Amino acid sequence: DTAVSQTPKYLVTQMGNDKSIKCEQNLGHDTMYWYKQDSKKFLKIMFSYNNKELIINETVPNRFSPKSPDKAHLNLHINSLELGDSAVYFCASSPTGQGGSGGYTFGSGTRLTVV
Amino acid sequence: GENVEQHPSTLSVQEGDSAVIKCTYSDSASNYFPWYKQELGKRPQLIIDIRSNVGEKKDQRIAVTLNKTAKHFSLHITETQPEDSAVYFCAATSGGGADGLTFGKGTHLIIQP
């Protein structure tokens, strides 16, 4: 069983479109995240979310919005896609309330290409 | 917020030699420091981690050391093998609330046969 699964694996779309990436975890974790990995391989957090709060990295454009229907899912919606949004997006999850206990688990990534 | 610096960006070593990757962090509240290995086209995979109450941890050929006073931590790989070739990331977090990981920019480790 895949612990953190995200779909689709590849997404090619035109500028200006709106798209979503889905993420599901079956680890029973309380917190989920979205990370962006750019062409230089730099991994940067975009959002973290648990059932109490959403923390947004201030550098993330408001065209990006996370949606969590329940604790096991955190989807990423992107409006008005731009060329610079092309990257690999990783979903991750971790337990919380344990002060840096680790347990961060990443999904397999979605390679988004905007043309 | 936290800032993690990682060096070198590329490291080439002969098979069988040791490799060392170094990271520094800025937030004294950070208390968890994982290392991830990412092979081409794959997800980051945790290879070892250390918490702030420990100075050193070892797992077979891999070890991590932490100096809280200097705010730096290092990854040591001994007896390197071709399959060790990958990009390695250090990260740090204080772990409170919904904090995620702050990553270094990665080190491309190349093992020369």
Side-chain angles (χ1 to χ4, degrees), chain A residues 87-106:
Chain A
V88 180
Y89 293 84
F90 286 99
C91 177
S93 70
S94 76
T96 52
Q98 300 176 40
S101 63
Y104 292 88
T105 303
F106 284 83

Side-chain angles (χ1 to χ4, degrees), chain B residues 21-58:
Chain B
I21 302 171
K22 298 183 179 182
C23 289
T24 60
Y25 62 99
S26 61
D27 188 353
S28 56
S30 287
N31 58 10
Y32 176 67
F33 308 92
W35 285 88
Y36 285 84
K37 176 183 180 181
Q38 187 178 30
E39 296 174 338
L40 191 62
K42 301 211 173 160
R43 76 187 77 193
Q45 296 271 19
L46 178 70
I47 56 171
I48 197 166
D49 57 12
I50 193 167
R51 292 172 177 76
S52 57
N53 58 349
V54 175
E56 184 174 357
K57 183 176 178 180
K58 190 173 180 181

Side-chain angles (χ1 to χ4, degrees), chain A residues 2 4 9 31 33 35 37 40-43 45 48-50 53 55 90 96-97 99-108, chain B residues 31-32 34 36 38 40-46 49 51 87 89 93-106:
Chain A
T2 303
V4 180
K9 190 169 177 65
T31 304
Y33 313 84
Y35 288 82
Q37 187 169 42
K40 295 184 179 179
K41 303 295 185 185
F42 187 34
L43 271 164
I45 190 165
S48 62
Y49 183 81
N50 63 18
E53 63 180 331
I55 299 175
F90 286 99
T96 52
S101 63
Y104 292 88
T105 303
F106 284 83
S108 57
Chain B
N31 58 10
Y32 176 67
Y36 285 84
Q38 187 178 30
L40 191 62
K42 301 211 173 160
R43 76 187 77 193
Q45 296 271 19
L46 178 70
D49 57 12
R51 292 172 177 76
V87 179
F89 293 93
T93 182
S94 62
D99 284 1
L101 297 168
T102 300
F103 283 90
K105 291 193 175 181

